[in-house]
């Protein structure tokens, strides 16, 4: 007879000294792990609850401006520095990690309307209500501007061409400038109305788009002499941001509470309508991955959208934050900066529940596991409900209710009209086409 | 070999010619292209003929096959071995064991991006399955066995003989406790390290049975019907004459649960933190021990419930009844989830294996049957015993222990094939009251009238534990951490169903739901209407006027309702008629029906 029973040597299962970590023997046999699905569900539920618990997006506050913040500029070479211009003509440079002001100087009389870094990150260009365009050096002791250009027309916005020494300004007309010259090298005009925002494409660097106050969006090509294309919307677009990854896509923030994503090749209707704001959207900025964008609105909230989705992923607000004037997504895709009327710049996390700082491998693995679980059970009603729920301020909540009633009313009325008129005389118009009036080429 | 020549020389020449600079070709264009083409044709011809020859040869001539015979691996695996990774392939049956079912077939999907995503995910799942299966190679322990020589049978060996041929640590696992408050019931913790004993005449003892360290020993001075460990080894529940009491490992009474009255059987569902009890009056109760509340209780109307086990696969309770039926219960339904008629006489023993696949029952007619629990079918096998089998127990490896009077017999895999002889046999000195295999050990606990004995059954236990599920060597801090984690992962009792994976499946209405929905539509009652009369001028506000208006509105409502219902039934009938009508060649001559 040969006989053997299970006999384990405890030394192989116990740690040798107290300083060691515990030995954990694994056996992945499914029979040893019963009730897999319900246990995973319980875990997913926990992790989605934890996600909401840890969702504390507000990182910090940069205060110092003595008037509302009017513009922000990201340093293309340095993640830790942010430049901001205010309505009293002051420009401040901030050190983000320590949240302090490095430098401040009076740049313009009246508003600082536009602010941008040159692509090499060595100079700052600002423009103000005093019709001047000023070049600034970034060293401590450089008090005066390196160069001041006096524009013949009012200027309201600036955008720098990538990899070149040219930039464009908008105002009464769109002008193209060269660093070394004091006169615009080219100017474009279409109609008589003024342009209030302009942006260069970051991939197709010759492409330029501007929002005009005659409710239109105008496309320019710097290689051509005239504007290329124009789309007129029902209400005016406030701001425009090109997708930094997809050359042909841009998003505009509109006065009618929505944002619209356009495809340059097909400007007749937007590709997507992004809803959820309850007041005019003032500013929009894409994340460097191009998958998301952030918008600031007159309803005192910041919202984050996924580029291909119609509703926002997240909404940020604080009690003290007033109407937003400008938002910006940091170049490391981790933070969002927002400037508002009440003189503060706020720094937010881009992912509300993300843990900042270095993570240990086990922590990272656990995080990945929980992400996977959340994705697996995302469609379950309870998990969906928890993941989607956001608390919004009372005025936003009430406005949402009110607007829902208004929308339903309009829909009902349209339905009634359709019911009582000749078949086909009241066509169904998709939401995307409702907000566009016409397209000029 | 001609083949070798092909492989090395000629294809090597060809690319050289192709990569000549275009300018150089241009100098002598007509000649070079022609010759090139010629060369290529010749090469191709040669290649094809050689290939064919080679194949024919290998098919006919065994010599070609013999060339590689010194390589021990089968050809299919050899090909894989030669590739980059150099890892041996995982056997198919092991992959099958770890697989979570067939994946999604991406070939029917039209959207390119989705197809890509699904394919990627399937690949990841396959990879993880393979990794899990591969890890089986590295498991440190092997399961036990008992091999017999010629002329021996395994059941002839007594426990003393088995213990004498084992090392001293294993031999100490076989022991006998002579106690006087019997008959005894026993229970092991989930990690198999601790044991609690409850004697019918009030004796309670908890111990670490491996080191034989006694944790507590008391006499409750009352009848003890059943004992059960809770989620950790610091607490256990004892069903006493009237109520269920909870003690800690020092023997201090923590709770007296008067809601659990006259309990005969207890089961602890570790992932749900539920203590399930079955009582003398037919009550089934589930107590959530993490919040101390009874989450569900009802009377089964099945009289006395003295036989209950849990199905570890789905945490459903199986009750054995005196009518010979087995009924399955979840806390969410007051009716049994399923009922099986297993025997024609009262059930005596019942056990479910850990995979939830097999159930084994024994009855007063001295038979024992095995059932397929997932298909709810059977019996798979049927045994006629020479005595009543009062207790049944499944081990982790599928062995079945049964007790008849004072005899314990262990059968090896009696579900899948008809076994005629027992694997082991043990004679105790008194009537046996309870049987349980120890988790992760080759040990069977036998509680009997005169005490308790722990006997060795080689090959019954799972040799490799998973420390994140149950760890026999866990320390205090590990236990505490585990307790918190498992509490966080507590499964809600609503998820107890026959198929535990229901939560991951798509929620489609079953046929029953559809029929129910149709019924609701057809046998709809007119909705109650709430009539609030408008305030009118005084001379028109009389009750007679109000009653009149009310009547008009009600009749109008009813008329509308009847109309819609008729329309619905008409549509229903129409669809039915078109489907059910028999078709005949001569139907075309019938007068056309009006729609």
């Amino acid at each position: 007879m040969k006989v053997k029973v299970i006999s384990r040597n405890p030394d192989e299962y116990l740690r040798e000294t107290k300083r060691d970590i515990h030995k954990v023997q694994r056996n992945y046999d499914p029979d040893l792990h019963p009730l897999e699905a319900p246990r995973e569900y319980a875990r997913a539920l926990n992790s989605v609850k934890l996600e909401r618990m840890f969702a504390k997006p507000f990182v910090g506050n940069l205060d110092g401006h003595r008037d509302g913040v009017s513009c922000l500029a990201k340093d293309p070479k340095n993640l830790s520095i942010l430049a901001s211009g205010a309505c009293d003509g002051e420009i401040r440079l901030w050190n983000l990690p320590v949240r302090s002001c490095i430098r401040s100087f009076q740049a313009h009389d009246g508003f600082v309307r536009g602010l941008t870094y040159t692509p090499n990150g060595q100079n700052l260009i600002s423009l103000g209500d005093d019709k001047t365009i000023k070049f600034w050096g970034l060293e401590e002791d450089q008090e005066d501007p390196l160069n001041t250009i006096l524009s013949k027309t009012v200027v309201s916005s600036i955008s720098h061409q990538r990899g070149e020494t040219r930039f464009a300004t908008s105002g009464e007309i769109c002008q193209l400038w060269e660093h070394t010259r004091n006169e615009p090298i080219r100017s474009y005009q279409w109609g008589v109305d003024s342009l209030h925002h302009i942006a260069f494409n970051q991939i197709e660097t010759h492409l330029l788009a501007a929002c005009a106050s005659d409710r239109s969006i105008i496309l320019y090509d710097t290689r051509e002499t005239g504007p290329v294309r124009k789309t007129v919307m029902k209400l005016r677009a406030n701001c425009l941001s090109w997708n930094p990854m997809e050359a042909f896509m841009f998003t505009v923030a509109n006065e009618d509470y929505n944002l619209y994503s356009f495809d340059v090749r097909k400007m007749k209707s937007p590709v997507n309508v992004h809803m959820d704001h309850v007041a005019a959207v003032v500013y929009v900025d894409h994340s460097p991955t191009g998958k998301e964008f952030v918008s600031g609105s007159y309803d005192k909230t910041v919202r984050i959208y996924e580029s291909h989705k119609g509703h926002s992923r997240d909404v940020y607000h604080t009690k003290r934050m007033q109407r937003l004037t400008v938002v910006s997504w940091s170049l490391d895709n981790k933070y969002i900066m927002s400037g508002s009327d009440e003189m503060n710049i706020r720094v937010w996390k881009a992912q509300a529940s993300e843990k900042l700082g270095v993570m240990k491998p086990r922590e990272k693995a656990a995080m990945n596991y929980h992400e996977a679980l959340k994705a697996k059970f995302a469609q379950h009603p309870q998990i969906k409900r928890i993941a989607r729920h956001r608390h919004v301020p009372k005025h936003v909540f009430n406005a949402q209710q009110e607007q829902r009633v208004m929308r339903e009313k309009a829909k009902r009325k349209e339905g009634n009209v359709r019911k009582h008129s000749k078949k086909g005389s009241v066509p169904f118009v998709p939401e995307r086409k409702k907000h566009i009036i016409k397209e000029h080429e | 070999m001609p083949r070798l020549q092909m492989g090395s020389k000629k294809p090597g020449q060809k690319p050289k010619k192709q990569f000549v600079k275009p300018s150089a070709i241009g100098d002598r264009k007509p000649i070079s292209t022609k010759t090139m083409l010629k060369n290529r044709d010749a090469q191709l011809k040669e290649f094809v003929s050689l290939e064919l020859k080679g194949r024919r040869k290998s098919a006919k001539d065994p010599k070609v096959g013999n060339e590689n015979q010194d390589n021990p691996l089968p050809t299919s695996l050899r090909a894989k071995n030669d590739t980059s990774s150099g890892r041996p392939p995982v056997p198919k049956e092991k992959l099958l064991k770890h697989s979570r079912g067939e994946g999604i077939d991406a070939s029917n999907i039209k959207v390119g991006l989705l197809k890509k995503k699904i394919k990627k995910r399937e690949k990841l799942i396959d990879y993880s399955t393979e990794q899990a299966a591969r890890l089986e190679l590295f498991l440190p322990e092997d399961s036990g066995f008992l091999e017999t020589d010629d002329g021996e049978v395994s059941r002839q060996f007594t426990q003393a003989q088995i213990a004498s041929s084992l090392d001293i640590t294993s031999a100490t696992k076989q022991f006998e406790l002579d106690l006087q408050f019997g008959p005894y019931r026993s229970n092991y913790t989930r990690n198999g390290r601790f044991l609690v004993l409850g004697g019918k005449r009030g004796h309670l003892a908890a111990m670490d049975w491996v080191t034989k360290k006694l944790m507590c020993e008391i006499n409750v001075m009352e009848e003890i019907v059943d004992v059960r460990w809770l989620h950790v080894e610091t607490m256990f529940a004892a069903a006493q004459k009237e109520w269920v009491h909870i003690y800690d490992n020092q023997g201090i009474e923590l709770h007296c649960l008067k809601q659990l009255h006259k309990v005969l059987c207890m089961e602890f569902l570790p992932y749900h933190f539920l203590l399930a009890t079955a009582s003398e009056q037919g009550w089934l109760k589930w107590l959530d021990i993490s919040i101390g509340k009874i989450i569900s209780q009802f009377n089964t109307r099945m009289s006395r419930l003295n036989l209950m086990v849990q199905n570890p696969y789905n945490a459903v309770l199986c009750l054995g009844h005196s009518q010979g039926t087995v009924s399955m219960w979840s806390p969410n339904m007051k009716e049994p989830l399923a009922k099986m008629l297993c025997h024609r006489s009262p059930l005596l023993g019942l056990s479910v294996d850990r995979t939830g696949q097999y159930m084994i029952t024994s009855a007063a007619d001295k038979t024992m049957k095995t059932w397929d629990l997932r298909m709810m079918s059977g019996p798979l096998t049927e045994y006629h015993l020479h005595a009543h089998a009062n207790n049944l127990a499944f081990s982790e490896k599928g062995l079945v222990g049964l007790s008849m009077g004072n005899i314990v017999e262990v059968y090896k895999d009696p579900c899948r094939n008809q076994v005629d002889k027992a694997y082991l046999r043990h004679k105790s000195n008194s009537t046996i009251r309870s049987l349980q295999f120890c988790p992760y050990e080759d040990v069977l606990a036998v509680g009997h009238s005169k005490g308790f004995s722990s006997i060795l059954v080689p090959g019954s236990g799972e040799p490799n534990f998973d420390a994140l599920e149950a760890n026999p060597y866990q320390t205090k801090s590990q236990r505490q951490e585990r307790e918190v984690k498992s509490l966080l992962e507590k499964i809600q009792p609503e998820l107890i169903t026959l198929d535990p994976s229901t939560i991951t499946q798509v929620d489609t209405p079953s046929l029953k739901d559809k029929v129910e929905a149709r019924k609701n539509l057809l046998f709809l009652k007119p909705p109650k209407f709430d009539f609030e009369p408008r305030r009118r001028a005084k001379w028109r506000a009389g009750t007679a006027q109000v009653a009149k208006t009310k009547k008009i509105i009600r009749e109008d409502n009813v008329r509308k309702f009847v109309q819609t219902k008729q329309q619905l039934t008409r549509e229903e009938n129409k669809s039915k008629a078109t489907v059910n009508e028999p078709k005949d060649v001569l139907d075309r001559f019938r007068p056309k029906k009006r729609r």
Side-chain angles (χ1 to χ4, degrees), chain A residues 9 44 50 73 111 130 140 152 205 213 221 275 289 299 305 323 334 338 357 367 369 393 417 429 431 434-435 439:
Chain A
N9 184 0
L50 285 180
F111 280 48
D130 52 1
E140 278 290 320
K152 278 177 191 146
T205 52
S213 52
D221 192 328
M275 297 183 173
T289 56
D299 62 8
Y305 292 85
R323 312 198 184 284
K334 282 212 162 166
S338 70
M367 209 68 101
Y369 176 65
V417 170
V429 183
E431 183 69 30
K434 271 182 193 166
H435 308 279
E439 190 194 8

Short mmCIF file of all heavy atoms in Angstrom, two decimals, chain A residues 9 44 50 73 111 130 140 152 205 213 221 275 289 299 305 323 334 338 357 367 369 393 417 429 431 434-435 439:
data_model
loop_
_atom_site.label_atom_id
_atom_site.label_comp_id
_atom_site.label_asym_id
_atom_site.label_seq_id
_atom_site.Cartn_x
_atom_site.Cartn_y
_atom_site.Cartn_z
N ASN A 9 3.99 22.02 4.57
CA ASN A 9 5.02 22.53 5.46
C ASN A 9 4.69 23.99 5.75
O ASN A 9 4.72 24.82 4.86
CB ASN A 9 6.37 22.41 4.75
CG ASN A 9 7.50 22.84 5.65
OD1 ASN A 9 7.26 23.22 6.79
ND2 ASN A 9 8.71 22.79 5.13
N ALA A 44 -18.20 46.35 -8.08
CA ALA A 44 -18.41 47.47 -9.01
C ALA A 44 -19.25 48.55 -8.36
O ALA A 44 -18.96 49.74 -8.50
CB ALA A 44 -19.08 46.97 -10.28
N LEU A 50 -17.33 54.78 -4.40
CA LEU A 50 -16.08 55.41 -3.96
C LEU A 50 -15.66 56.50 -4.91
O LEU A 50 -15.15 57.54 -4.49
CB LEU A 50 -14.97 54.36 -3.86
CG LEU A 50 -15.06 53.45 -2.65
CD1 LEU A 50 -13.93 52.46 -2.68
CD2 LEU A 50 -15.00 54.25 -1.37
N ALA A 73 -3.33 82.14 -20.82
CA ALA A 73 -2.46 81.57 -21.85
C ALA A 73 -1.61 80.48 -21.24
O ALA A 73 -1.08 80.63 -20.15
CB ALA A 73 -1.56 82.67 -22.43
N PHE A 111 -9.17 96.67 -20.93
CA PHE A 111 -9.10 95.21 -20.92
C PHE A 111 -7.83 94.69 -21.58
O PHE A 111 -7.35 95.26 -22.55
CB PHE A 111 -10.27 94.62 -21.72
CG PHE A 111 -11.57 94.58 -20.98
CD1 PHE A 111 -12.03 95.69 -20.30
CD2 PHE A 111 -12.33 93.42 -20.99
CE1 PHE A 111 -13.24 95.64 -19.63
CE2 PHE A 111 -13.54 93.38 -20.33
CZ PHE A 111 -14.00 94.48 -19.65
N ASP A 130 -6.73 99.23 -25.86
CA ASP A 130 -6.08 100.44 -26.35
C ASP A 130 -5.51 100.28 -27.75
O ASP A 130 -4.64 101.04 -28.17
CB ASP A 130 -4.99 100.88 -25.37
CG ASP A 130 -4.04 99.74 -25.06
OD1 ASP A 130 -4.24 98.64 -25.63
OD2 ASP A 130 -3.11 99.91 -24.27
N GLU A 140 12.71 88.40 -15.31
CA GLU A 140 12.21 89.19 -14.18
C GLU A 140 12.36 90.70 -14.41
O GLU A 140 11.47 91.48 -14.11
CB GLU A 140 12.99 88.81 -12.90
CG GLU A 140 12.47 87.56 -12.23
CD GLU A 140 11.11 87.77 -11.58
OE1 GLU A 140 10.90 88.83 -10.98
OE2 GLU A 140 10.25 86.88 -11.70
N LYS A 152 -4.42 99.67 -36.44
CA LYS A 152 -5.30 100.72 -36.94
C LYS A 152 -6.74 100.47 -36.54
O LYS A 152 -7.54 101.39 -36.45
CB LYS A 152 -5.20 100.78 -38.47
CG LYS A 152 -3.99 101.57 -38.91
CD LYS A 152 -3.87 101.56 -40.41
CE LYS A 152 -2.52 102.12 -40.79
NZ LYS A 152 -2.00 101.48 -41.98
N THR A 205 -1.75 74.00 -40.06
CA THR A 205 -1.42 75.26 -39.40
C THR A 205 -1.78 76.49 -40.22
O THR A 205 -1.68 77.60 -39.73
CB THR A 205 0.06 75.31 -39.04
OG1 THR A 205 0.80 75.01 -40.21
CG2 THR A 205 0.39 74.32 -37.96
N SER A 213 -19.65 88.58 -35.13
CA SER A 213 -20.83 88.97 -34.37
C SER A 213 -22.09 89.00 -35.24
O SER A 213 -23.16 89.29 -34.75
CB SER A 213 -20.62 90.30 -33.67
OG SER A 213 -20.17 91.23 -34.62
N ASP A 221 -7.90 80.59 -44.94
CA ASP A 221 -6.65 79.88 -45.20
C ASP A 221 -5.58 80.94 -45.40
O ASP A 221 -5.74 81.81 -46.27
CB ASP A 221 -6.80 79.00 -46.44
CG ASP A 221 -5.64 78.04 -46.57
OD1 ASP A 221 -4.53 78.41 -46.16
OD2 ASP A 221 -5.85 76.92 -47.09
N MET A 275 -25.30 69.60 -25.24
CA MET A 275 -26.24 70.38 -24.43
C MET A 275 -25.81 70.34 -22.97
O MET A 275 -24.79 69.77 -22.64
CB MET A 275 -27.62 69.80 -24.60
CG MET A 275 -28.11 69.90 -26.02
SD MET A 275 -29.72 69.29 -26.10
CE MET A 275 -30.16 69.70 -27.76
N THR A 289 -5.62 65.60 -25.66
CA THR A 289 -5.87 64.33 -26.35
C THR A 289 -6.94 64.47 -27.41
O THR A 289 -7.13 63.57 -28.22
CB THR A 289 -6.38 63.27 -25.35
OG1 THR A 289 -7.53 63.80 -24.70
CG2 THR A 289 -5.32 62.93 -24.33
N ASP A 299 -23.71 80.51 -16.69
CA ASP A 299 -24.50 79.97 -15.58
C ASP A 299 -23.61 79.58 -14.39
O ASP A 299 -24.03 78.85 -13.51
CB ASP A 299 -25.33 78.77 -16.05
CG ASP A 299 -24.48 77.62 -16.53
OD1 ASP A 299 -23.25 77.67 -16.38
OD2 ASP A 299 -25.04 76.65 -17.07
N TYR A 305 -17.07 67.83 -21.45
CA TYR A 305 -17.79 66.99 -22.42
C TYR A 305 -16.81 66.02 -23.05
O TYR A 305 -15.65 66.34 -23.25
CB TYR A 305 -18.39 67.85 -23.53
CG TYR A 305 -19.51 68.74 -23.11
CD1 TYR A 305 -19.23 69.99 -22.59
CD2 TYR A 305 -20.83 68.36 -23.26
CE1 TYR A 305 -20.26 70.84 -22.21
CE2 TYR A 305 -21.85 69.20 -22.89
CZ TYR A 305 -21.56 70.44 -22.35
OH TYR A 305 -22.56 71.27 -21.97
N ARG A 323 -19.74 84.23 -12.86
CA ARG A 323 -19.83 83.89 -14.28
C ARG A 323 -18.45 83.65 -14.87
O ARG A 323 -17.53 84.43 -14.64
CB ARG A 323 -20.53 85.02 -15.03
CG ARG A 323 -21.79 85.45 -14.31
CD ARG A 323 -22.68 86.23 -15.20
NE ARG A 323 -23.85 86.72 -14.48
CZ ARG A 323 -24.89 85.97 -14.14
NH1 ARG A 323 -24.90 84.69 -14.44
NH2 ARG A 323 -25.91 86.49 -13.50
N LYS A 334 -4.25 66.97 -17.19
CA LYS A 334 -4.63 66.62 -15.82
C LYS A 334 -5.44 67.70 -15.13
O LYS A 334 -6.19 67.40 -14.20
CB LYS A 334 -3.35 66.39 -15.00
CG LYS A 334 -2.74 65.05 -15.26
CD LYS A 334 -2.08 64.56 -14.03
CE LYS A 334 -1.85 63.07 -14.10
NZ LYS A 334 -0.94 62.62 -13.10
N SER A 338 -9.84 77.78 -14.69
CA SER A 338 -10.99 78.59 -15.07
C SER A 338 -10.84 79.98 -14.49
O SER A 338 -10.46 80.15 -13.32
CB SER A 338 -12.28 77.94 -14.57
OG SER A 338 -12.35 78.03 -13.18
N GLY A 357 -0.57 62.51 -7.65
CA GLY A 357 0.69 62.01 -7.12
C GLY A 357 1.04 60.64 -7.64
O GLY A 357 0.30 60.03 -8.41
N MET A 367 -6.58 50.10 -9.10
CA MET A 367 -7.32 51.14 -9.79
C MET A 367 -7.80 50.64 -11.16
O MET A 367 -8.96 50.82 -11.53
CB MET A 367 -6.40 52.35 -9.95
CG MET A 367 -7.09 53.66 -9.99
SD MET A 367 -7.81 54.06 -8.43
CE MET A 367 -6.60 55.19 -7.82
N TYR A 369 -8.24 47.58 -12.06
CA TYR A 369 -9.25 46.54 -11.85
C TYR A 369 -10.62 47.18 -11.62
O TYR A 369 -11.62 46.78 -12.20
CB TYR A 369 -8.85 45.69 -10.65
CG TYR A 369 -9.85 44.64 -10.27
CD1 TYR A 369 -10.12 43.59 -11.13
CD2 TYR A 369 -10.53 44.68 -9.06
CE1 TYR A 369 -11.04 42.62 -10.80
CE2 TYR A 369 -11.45 43.73 -8.72
CZ TYR A 369 -11.69 42.70 -9.59
OH TYR A 369 -12.62 41.74 -9.27
N PRO A 393 -25.99 73.55 -8.43
CA PRO A 393 -26.58 74.62 -7.63
C PRO A 393 -28.05 74.80 -7.94
O PRO A 393 -28.53 74.42 -9.01
CB PRO A 393 -25.79 75.86 -8.06
CG PRO A 393 -24.61 75.38 -8.76
CD PRO A 393 -24.86 74.00 -9.23
N VAL A 417 -49.15 70.88 -34.39
CA VAL A 417 -49.21 71.54 -35.70
C VAL A 417 -49.12 70.50 -36.81
O VAL A 417 -49.87 70.51 -37.77
CB VAL A 417 -48.08 72.58 -35.83
CG1 VAL A 417 -47.98 73.08 -37.26
CG2 VAL A 417 -48.31 73.73 -34.89
N VAL A 429 -37.31 68.19 -38.46
CA VAL A 429 -35.95 68.73 -38.63
C VAL A 429 -35.09 68.20 -37.50
O VAL A 429 -35.43 68.37 -36.32
CB VAL A 429 -35.97 70.27 -38.59
CG1 VAL A 429 -34.58 70.82 -38.85
CG2 VAL A 429 -36.95 70.81 -39.58
N GLU A 431 -32.24 67.90 -34.68
CA GLU A 431 -31.70 68.92 -33.77
C GLU A 431 -30.46 69.59 -34.36
O GLU A 431 -30.26 70.78 -34.22
CB GLU A 431 -31.37 68.25 -32.44
CG GLU A 431 -30.87 69.16 -31.35
CD GLU A 431 -31.94 70.11 -30.84
OE1 GLU A 431 -33.12 69.74 -30.86
OE2 GLU A 431 -31.58 71.24 -30.43
N LYS A 434 -31.27 72.40 -36.81
CA LYS A 434 -32.15 73.46 -36.37
C LYS A 434 -31.42 74.77 -36.16
O LYS A 434 -31.99 75.83 -36.26
CB LYS A 434 -32.80 73.06 -35.04
CG LYS A 434 -34.09 72.30 -35.22
CD LYS A 434 -34.69 72.00 -33.87
CE LYS A 434 -35.79 70.98 -34.02
NZ LYS A 434 -36.18 70.42 -32.74
N HIS A 435 -30.14 74.69 -35.84
CA HIS A 435 -29.45 75.89 -35.37
C HIS A 435 -28.62 76.58 -36.45
O HIS A 435 -27.90 77.51 -36.17
CB HIS A 435 -28.56 75.53 -34.18
CG HIS A 435 -29.31 74.79 -33.12
ND1 HIS A 435 -30.09 75.43 -32.21
CD2 HIS A 435 -29.45 73.47 -32.88
CE1 HIS A 435 -30.65 74.53 -31.41
NE2 HIS A 435 -30.28 73.33 -31.80
N GLU A 439 -25.07 78.40 -45.32
CA GLU A 439 -23.63 78.28 -45.47
C GLU A 439 -23.22 79.02 -46.74
O GLU A 439 -23.85 78.87 -47.79
CB GLU A 439 -23.26 76.80 -45.60
CG GLU A 439 -21.78 76.55 -45.53
CD GLU A 439 -21.41 75.15 -45.98
OE1 GLU A 439 -22.28 74.44 -46.49
OE2 GLU A 439 -20.24 74.81 -45.85
#
